[in-house]
Amino acid sequence: MKRRIVIVLYEGFQLLDMTGPADVFAAATVLTGQDGYQVEVGAAKAGAVPAAHHGIEVVAQAALNEIHGPIDTLLVVGGPTTMTQARDPELTAQVVRLSRVARRTTSVCSGAFVLAAAGLLDGRRATTHWLLTGWLGACYPDVMVEPDAIYTRDGEVWTSAGVSAGMDLALALVADDHGHEVARQVACGLVVYLHRPGGQSQFSMPMSVIRPRSEPLRDLQAFIDANPAEDLSVPALARRAGLSERHFSRVFTEQTGLSPGRYVERSRADTARRLLEVTDHALDRVARESGLGRPETLYRVSAAICAYPPATTAAGSTRRRPDPCTP
């Protein structure tokens, strides 16, 4: 039988928090047929529920108090109104009730506040949108907040970071249910990365670095990120920027917070990580295409920067790391 997914909405929810995971589950169902998913939408009242900002409404098929178990996965979305919604005793009571008959309970983005208000995150690791992690810890001190995770799993309670991270969470759930290969095919069909490990930073490398004030340096930064296998030595970059090596190094470091060499290394590691996640390339090819040269360098840089090294098989073949969601 299909796995029953119940998505909890409320007025002012974030649309992508719902549609992103729903599309992942739908794509997985196309691949797995009767072993796939049946998605239901519930809210305080059945009928149209307005999303935040868009003027778009989604029809809740049933009121939450009309939904009864068993449920495979309960998913609570986030949105700009979550803080207010989390103080609604009826909503939290219904979430607690449904969680008791669900195999696993999950949240996307600020939906973690609803789970926390319901007491479902007490003593558990959890995450939310990076803007809200401090608030989550302050409001609910019994929650062990992971401030920079894409998603977390603590037992059968899963939480994810903001908005698009809901798709990472859904892909992880699919991998947990059906294996890495099905999740990979879903990700390829949706043209998204498969799939960012839960402990990976919420920020990609370019997002986590200060954008230079100087337009030539911004262009150079973009060139580095787009051409990891090029000669990105300080002399070569200084020539491209039209500056002396000493002046270039000083200005680049001042405007990005990283030395040129450190930025290049992190950018190449970010490229290697993406290649490991979305391709079946051998490590020597990943190392070459990411500009890191050799698998030994790839392993060292990945372990130092990405917090997890690429894995090798017992036979020593260079293949991608196993699915991080698999126990």
Side-chain angles (χ1 to χ4, degrees):
M1 294 179 62
K2 291 183 179 179
R3 299 169 188 265
R4 186 185 185 197
I5 310 290
V6 173
I7 300 179
V8 176
L9 303 186
Y10 44 79
E11 186 172 339
F13 72 96
Q14 183 76 41
L15 188 62
L16 188 57
D17 285 8
M18 185 207 75
T19 57
D23 274 345
V24 169
F25 294 132
T29 301
V30 171
L31 292 173
T32 59
Q34 287 302 311
D35 292 328
Y37 301 91
Q38 173 185 319
V39 176
E40 302 173 22
V41 176
K45 296 179 180 179
V49 183
H53 309 310
H54 303 286
I56 295 174
E57 295 181 330
V58 173
V59 175
Q61 296 145 315
L64 293 176
N65 61 9
E66 298 171 348
I67 298 175
H68 301 282
I71 297 169
D72 182 81
T73 303
L74 179 68
L75 188 151
V76 180
V77 301
T81 65
T82 306
M83 305 304 186
T84 301
Q85 299 292 342
R87 294 194 291 269
D88 180 350
E90 179 61 24
L91 174 63
T92 55
Q94 290 300 327
V95 168
V96 169
R97 182 183 67 82
L98 294 173
S99 180
R100 288 173 180 159
V101 296
R103 181 172 68 89
R104 59 191 173 198
T105 299
T106 68
S107 66
V108 178
C109 195
S110 57
F113 282 79
V114 175
L115 298 190
L120 298 173
L121 298 183
D122 289 354
R124 295 183 184 273
R125 295 182 300 107
T127 194
T128 187
H129 192 291
W130 64 271
L131 280 172
L132 304 175
T133 52
W135 288 3
L136 183 62
C139 294
Y140 303 99
D142 290 334
V143 180
M144 295 180 287
V145 179
E146 303 243 347
D148 196 28
I150 293 292
Y151 61 84
T152 64
R153 177 183 185 179
D154 193 324
E156 293 309 313
V157 176
W158 305 58
T159 56
S160 81
V163 197
S164 66
M167 297 184 73
D168 295 283
L169 172 66
L171 284 166
L173 297 173
V174 170
D176 193 58
D177 294 339
H178 298 290
H180 180 83
E181 177 58 24
V182 171
R184 185 190 71 80
Q185 291 182 49
V186 171
C188 289
L190 296 176
V191 198
V192 295
Y193 291 142
L194 172 71
H195 48 77
R196 295 182 290 179
Q200 181 179 316
S201 171
Q202 294 187 26
F203 300 99
S204 66
M205 211 290 295
M207 287 175 62
S208 65
V209 175
I210 300 169
R211 292 287 286 168
R213 298 185 304 275
S214 163
E215 184 175 351
L217 287 187
R218 290 198 298 271
D219 291 343
L220 185 64
Q221 192 181 59
F223 175 81
I224 293 170
D225 295 333
N227 299 277
E230 293 288 330
D231 179 3
L232 301 178
S233 63
V234 169
L237 294 175
R239 286 194 301 271
R240 180 172 288 273
L243 301 172
S244 69
E245 292 178 27
R246 181 176 180 181
H247 184 55
F248 164 70
S249 294
R250 180 182 64 79
V251 171
F252 189 94
T253 303
E254 176 188 279
Q255 293 195 23
T256 67
L258 292 174
S259 69
R262 182 64 172 164
Y263 183 91
V264 168
E265 184 178 60
R266 289 183 61 182
S267 180
R268 284 171 166 167
D270 201 56
T271 299
R273 178 173 56 197
R274 292 198 302 272
L275 290 172
L276 288 167
E277 289 168 2
V278 303
T279 74
D280 290 315
H281 296 343
L283 289 189
D284 55 354
R285 180 174 174 182
V286 171
R288 185 172 63 254
E289 292 186 3
S290 64
L292 292 171
R294 300 181 301 168
E296 294 82 1
T297 306
L298 170 61
Y299 189 94
R300 175 183 60 79
V301 171
S302 295
I305 294 177
C306 300
Y308 65 93
T312 57
T313 65
S317 62
T318 51
R319 307 297 292 176
R320 90 157 66 100
R321 184 176 177 81
D323 175 19
C325 302
T326 302

